[in-house]
PDB file of all heavy atoms in Angstrom:
ATOM      1  N   LEU E 696      11.782   5.104 -10.046  1.00 89.00           N
ATOM      2  CA  LEU E 696      11.973   3.769 -10.623  1.00 89.00           C
ATOM      3  C   LEU E 696      13.187   3.073 -10.004  1.00 89.00           C
ATOM      4  O   LEU E 696      13.161   1.866  -9.744  1.00 89.00           O
ATOM      5  CB  LEU E 696      12.127   3.869 -12.135  1.00 89.00           C
ATOM      6  CG  LEU E 696      10.868   4.326 -12.899  1.00 89.00           C
ATOM      7  CD1 LEU E 696      11.173   4.432 -14.385  1.00 89.00           C
ATOM      8  CD2 LEU E 696       9.712   3.366 -12.666  1.00 89.00           C
ATOM      9  N   ARG E 697      14.244   3.861  -9.749  1.00 89.00           N
ATOM     10  CA  ARG E 697      15.415   3.266  -9.107  1.00 89.00           C
ATOM     11  C   ARG E 697      15.071   2.797  -7.695  1.00 89.00           C
ATOM     12  O   ARG E 697      15.501   1.734  -7.256  1.00 89.00           O
ATOM     13  CB  ARG E 697      16.551   4.283  -9.063  1.00 89.00           C
ATOM     14  CG  ARG E 697      17.151   4.587 -10.444  1.00 89.00           C
ATOM     15  CD  ARG E 697      18.170   5.699 -10.338  1.00 89.00           C
ATOM     16  NE  ARG E 697      18.710   6.046 -11.664  1.00 89.00           N
ATOM     17  CZ  ARG E 697      19.494   7.091 -11.882  1.00 89.00           C
ATOM     18  NH1 ARG E 697      19.816   7.904 -10.869  1.00 89.00           N
ATOM     19  NH2 ARG E 697      19.939   7.353 -13.110  1.00 89.00           N
ATOM     20  N   ALA E 698      14.288   3.645  -6.987  1.00 90.00           N
ATOM     21  CA  ALA E 698      13.886   3.277  -5.623  1.00 90.00           C
ATOM     22  C   ALA E 698      13.009   2.031  -5.628  1.00 90.00           C
ATOM     23  O   ALA E 698      13.134   1.160  -4.756  1.00 90.00           O
ATOM     24  CB  ALA E 698      13.155   4.440  -4.961  1.00 90.00           C
ATOM     25  N   GLU E 699      12.106   1.949  -6.615  1.00 90.00           N
ATOM     26  CA  GLU E 699      11.244   0.766  -6.707  1.00 90.00           C
ATOM     27  C   GLU E 699      12.059  -0.481  -7.008  1.00 90.00           C
ATOM     28  O   GLU E 699      11.795  -1.553  -6.457  1.00 90.00           O
ATOM     29  CB  GLU E 699      10.182   0.991  -7.785  1.00 90.00           C
ATOM     30  CG  GLU E 699       9.128   2.017  -7.395  1.00 90.00           C
ATOM     31  CD  GLU E 699       8.157   2.292  -8.529  1.00 90.00           C
ATOM     32  OE1 GLU E 699       8.380   1.743  -9.634  1.00 90.00           O
ATOM     33  OE2 GLU E 699       7.185   3.046  -8.311  1.00 90.00           O
ATOM     34  N   ALA E 700      13.078  -0.332  -7.881  1.00 89.00           N
ATOM     35  CA  ALA E 700      13.926  -1.484  -8.184  1.00 89.00           C
ATOM     36  C   ALA E 700      14.695  -1.925  -6.946  1.00 89.00           C
ATOM     37  O   ALA E 700      14.833  -3.122  -6.663  1.00 89.00           O
ATOM     38  CB  ALA E 700      14.890  -1.129  -9.323  1.00 89.00           C
ATOM     39  N   GLU E 701      15.196  -0.923  -6.192  1.00 90.00           N
ATOM     40  CA  GLU E 701      15.909  -1.251  -4.958  1.00 90.00           C
ATOM     41  C   GLU E 701      14.965  -1.876  -3.936  1.00 90.00           C
ATOM     42  O   GLU E 701      15.334  -2.818  -3.228  1.00 90.00           O
ATOM     43  CB  GLU E 701      16.547   0.024  -4.392  1.00 90.00           C
ATOM     44  CG  GLU E 701      17.299  -0.159  -3.081  1.00 90.00           C
ATOM     45  CD  GLU E 701      18.525  -1.066  -3.215  1.00 90.00           C
ATOM     46  OE1 GLU E 701      18.952  -1.333  -4.367  1.00 90.00           O
ATOM     47  OE2 GLU E 701      19.050  -1.499  -2.178  1.00 90.00           O
ATOM     48  N   ARG E 702      13.751  -1.349  -3.874  1.00 91.00           N
ATOM     49  CA  ARG E 702      12.754  -1.925  -2.953  1.00 91.00           C
ATOM     50  C   ARG E 702      12.471  -3.375  -3.321  1.00 91.00           C
ATOM     51  O   ARG E 702      12.403  -4.248  -2.440  1.00 91.00           O
ATOM     52  CB  ARG E 702      11.467  -1.111  -3.006  1.00 91.00           C
ATOM     53  CG  ARG E 702      10.363  -1.617  -2.073  1.00 91.00           C
ATOM     54  CD  ARG E 702       9.028  -1.102  -2.509  1.00 91.00           C
ATOM     55  NE  ARG E 702       8.697  -1.597  -3.849  1.00 91.00           N
ATOM     56  CZ  ARG E 702       7.697  -1.141  -4.581  1.00 91.00           C
ATOM     57  NH1 ARG E 702       6.945  -0.156  -4.127  1.00 91.00           N
ATOM     58  NH2 ARG E 702       7.461  -1.638  -5.776  1.00 91.00           N
ATOM     59  N   ASP E 703      12.290  -3.637  -4.615  1.00 90.00           N
ATOM     60  CA  ASP E 703      12.025  -5.018  -5.048  1.00 90.00           C
ATOM     61  C   ASP E 703      13.190  -5.929  -4.686  1.00 90.00           C
ATOM     62  O   ASP E 703      12.987  -7.077  -4.261  1.00 90.00           O
ATOM     63  CB  ASP E 703      11.780  -5.047  -6.558  1.00 90.00           C
ATOM     64  CG  ASP E 703      10.471  -4.350  -6.943  1.00 90.00           C
ATOM     65  OD1 ASP E 703       9.618  -4.176  -6.053  1.00 90.00           O
ATOM     66  OD2 ASP E 703      10.326  -3.985  -8.124  1.00 90.00           O
ATOM     67  N   ARG E 704      14.409  -5.388  -4.850  1.00 90.00           N
ATOM     68  CA  ARG E 704      15.575  -6.202  -4.505  1.00 90.00           C
ATOM     69  C   ARG E 704      15.596  -6.502  -3.010  1.00 90.00           C
ATOM     70  O   ARG E 704      15.847  -7.644  -2.588  1.00 90.00           O
ATOM     71  CB  ARG E 704      16.857  -5.464  -4.908  1.00 90.00           C
ATOM     72  CG  ARG E 704      18.129  -6.287  -4.737  1.00 90.00           C
ATOM     73  CD  ARG E 704      19.365  -5.442  -4.945  1.00 90.00           C
ATOM     74  NE  ARG E 704      19.523  -4.461  -3.883  1.00 90.00           N
ATOM     75  CZ  ARG E 704      20.023  -4.758  -2.668  1.00 90.00           C
ATOM     76  NH1 ARG E 704      20.390  -5.997  -2.381  1.00 90.00           N
ATOM     77  NH2 ARG E 704      20.155  -3.803  -1.778  1.00 90.00           N
ATOM     78  N   LEU E 705      15.301  -5.454  -2.201  1.00 91.00           N
ATOM     79  CA  LEU E 705      15.286  -5.647  -0.745  1.00 91.00           C
ATOM     80  C   LEU E 705      14.171  -6.580  -0.314  1.00 91.00           C
ATOM     81  O   LEU E 705      14.343  -7.394   0.596  1.00 91.00           O
ATOM     82  CB  LEU E 705      15.145  -4.290  -0.043  1.00 91.00           C
ATOM     83  CG  LEU E 705      16.343  -3.340  -0.168  1.00 91.00           C
ATOM     84  CD1 LEU E 705      16.021  -1.997   0.459  1.00 91.00           C
ATOM     85  CD2 LEU E 705      17.594  -3.948   0.477  1.00 91.00           C
ATOM     86  N   LEU E 706      13.011  -6.451  -0.979  1.00 91.00           N
ATOM     87  CA  LEU E 706      11.902  -7.343  -0.645  1.00 91.00           C
ATOM     88  C   LEU E 706      12.250  -8.784  -0.969  1.00 91.00           C
ATOM     89  O   LEU E 706      11.917  -9.707  -0.210  1.00 91.00           O
ATOM     90  CB  LEU E 706      10.638  -6.917  -1.405  1.00 91.00           C
ATOM     91  CG  LEU E 706       9.931  -5.658  -0.899  1.00 91.00           C
ATOM     92  CD1 LEU E 706       8.775  -5.297  -1.815  1.00 91.00           C
ATOM     93  CD2 LEU E 706       9.421  -5.852   0.528  1.00 91.00           C
ATOM     94  N   GLU E 707      12.906  -8.977  -2.095  1.00 90.00           N
ATOM     95  CA  GLU E 707      13.318 -10.327  -2.471  1.00 90.00           C
ATOM     96  C   GLU E 707      14.325 -10.873  -1.459  1.00 90.00           C
ATOM     97  O   GLU E 707      14.244 -12.036  -1.036  1.00 90.00           O
ATOM     98  CB  GLU E 707      13.933 -10.303  -3.876  1.00 90.00           C
ATOM     99  CG  GLU E 707      14.419 -11.650  -4.369  1.00 90.00           C
ATOM    100  CD  GLU E 707      13.299 -12.671  -4.525  1.00 90.00           C
ATOM    101  OE1 GLU E 707      12.146 -12.245  -4.746  1.00 90.00           O
ATOM    102  OE2 GLU E 707      13.580 -13.886  -4.418  1.00 90.00           O
ATOM    103  N   HIS E 708      15.264  -9.996  -1.063  1.00 87.00           N
ATOM    104  CA  HIS E 708      16.249 -10.412  -0.061  1.00 87.00           C
ATOM    105  C   HIS E 708      15.565 -10.712   1.273  1.00 87.00           C
ATOM    106  O   HIS E 708      15.884 -11.725   1.925  1.00 87.00           O
ATOM    107  CB  HIS E 708      17.287  -9.305   0.119  1.00 87.00           C
ATOM    108  CG  HIS E 708      18.329  -9.608   1.161  1.00 87.00           C
ATOM    109  ND1 HIS E 708      19.308 -10.548   0.992  1.00 87.00           N
ATOM    110  CD2 HIS E 708      18.504  -9.086   2.425  1.00 87.00           C
ATOM    111  CE1 HIS E 708      20.057 -10.598   2.081  1.00 87.00           C
ATOM    112  NE2 HIS E 708      19.588  -9.718   2.964  1.00 87.00           N
TER     113      HIS E 708
END
Side-chain angles (χ1 to χ4, degrees):
L696 293 178
R697 290 174 183 171
E699 289 176 355
E701 179 65 14
R702 181 200 62 192
D703 292 341
R704 186 189 68 79
L705 292 175
L706 286 175
E707 179 64 27
H708 178 71

